[in-house]
Amino acid sequence: MPPMNDLPELPADARALCEGAAGLALWLTGAGISAESGVPTFRGKDGYWTVGSTNYRAEELATYAAFSQMPEDVWAWYLYRRGVCRGAEPNAAHRAIAELEAARGERHLLVTQNVDGLHLRAGSTAARTYEIHGNLDYARPVAGGARRSIPASVEVPWAKDRALGPAERDVLLADDNPLRPHVLWFDESYDEANFRFESTLHAASQASLVIVVGTTGATNLPLHIGRIAVQRGAPMIVVNPEPNPFSEWVDETGCGVFLQGTAGEWVPALCKHLTP
């Protein structure tokens, strides 16, 4: 976290919301917080992946249908993405949220859309961190079962043009127990066992403050969190470089604050005023 003297001054309304949050403060983070660590969103030029002579977009590869048809190619793409994420380091915003958890305990919950694992590497605990889209460091059996760490024998980083070799195929795609990346694909639905769906909605219904950082609100469950906050009249603090659905709700209801800017600019200051 930056030195306290270097933190920006929060607007009075944002400071009052933080200092008045006696109950559960629910954080919702998206790709914007990790972009400051150098993790690309994989929806722009970095999102294309060539299989043979065909370029696939992320939305096409990140599906159960694609995995069913070309599991080796989909795994190669995910292992490359995993290598990029493992090469990144948590930034000041990740660290500030982790330190805040230690101070607030059960009055703190982090819900993240990010699959890069940076929050956990910064010190956030698995118990207080709901990774609602999964984590690239894990795999799970296609037929169902608990997630497991990707074996250390699988190379990190993974070259962009690297295909699975026999050893990786044996580890990841054994005929009797094929593994898939532990992520939520575009043609799948949230569930509780893998992605904490019901637990997340319950937390949103209990939160006294919702802080939304670095997300466009393009996926379903994050928008549910925002709607629940709006319906309950729970205030939201929204941090994003550009307006998004969450900031529009704040504008419409007057219940919250939109801090236009990056996670690195605002999150450490928010955490300072949330600390009891």
Side-chain angles (χ1 to χ4, degrees), residues 62-236:
T63 64
Y64 184 78
F67 183 78
S68 299
Q69 296 167 9
M70 46 184 186
E72 292 190 29
D73 297 300
V74 170
W75 257 120
W77 180 59
Y78 273 103
L79 292 172
Y80 168 67
R81 288 189 60 188
R82 175 176 176 249
V84 171
C85 294
R86 294 296 293 178
E89 293 296 330
N91 59 49
H94 293 111
R95 294 192 297 272
I97 292 172
E99 291 171 13
L100 183 67
E101 177 189 339
R104 289 183 67 89
E106 292 187 356
R107 294 187 297 129
H108 169 97
L109 184 70
L110 168 61
V111 176
T112 185
Q113 300 168 235
N114 300 334
V115 298
D116 50 47
L118 286 173
H119 279 297
L120 298 182
R121 289 167 55 198
S124 291
T125 69
R128 307 302 301 168
T129 304
Y130 293 176
E131 295 176 305
I132 59 172
H133 291 162
N135 185 317
L136 290 173
D137 279 329
Y138 295 90
R140 67 180 195 269
V142 170
R147 73 177 192 176
R148 62 190 69 174
S149 297
I150 293 177
S153 60
V154 176
E155 180 183 329
V156 177
W158 192 272
K160 192 165 188 176
D161 58 354
R162 166 98 146 76
L164 265 66
E168 289 87 23
R169 284 195 294 270
D170 287 346
V171 168
L172 300 172
L173 294 171
D175 290 339
D176 60 341
N177 192 27
L179 299 176
R180 52 162 290 173
H182 178 63
V183 294
L184 180 69
W185 282 326
F186 283 101
D187 54 357
E188 296 180 316
S189 299
Y190 293 100
D191 62 24
E192 176 65 16
N194 293 302
F195 306 113
R196 306 304 299 269
F197 179 67
E198 287 85 2
S199 295
T200 296
L201 295 182
H202 177 72
S205 73
Q206 302 296 311
S208 64
L209 176 65
V210 176
I211 306 169
V212 183
V213 181
T215 176
T216 61
T219 52
N220 204 3
L221 185 51
L223 288 176
H224 272 309
I225 294 171
R227 288 193 190 98
I228 291 170
V230 169
Q231 291 165 359
R232 295 178 53 237
M236 277 194 293

Side-chain angles (χ1 to χ4, degrees), residues 9-27 100 104 107 207-212 229 232-239 246-247 249-251 253-259 269-276:
E9 185 65 28
L10 282 182
D13 48 2
R15 188 168 63 251
L17 288 176
C18 289
E19 293 173 352
L24 175 67
L26 188 157
W27 292 77
L100 183 67
R104 289 183 67 89
R107 294 187 297 129
S208 64
L209 176 65
V210 176
I211 306 169
V212 183
R232 295 178 53 237
M236 277 194 293
I237 297 175
V238 181
V239 177
F246 303 97
S247 67
W249 281 328
V250 165
D251 289 343
T253 64
C255 192
V257 181
F258 174 37
L259 299 175
L270 290 168
C271 291
K272 171 188 172 183
H273 288 284
L274 270 163
T275 302

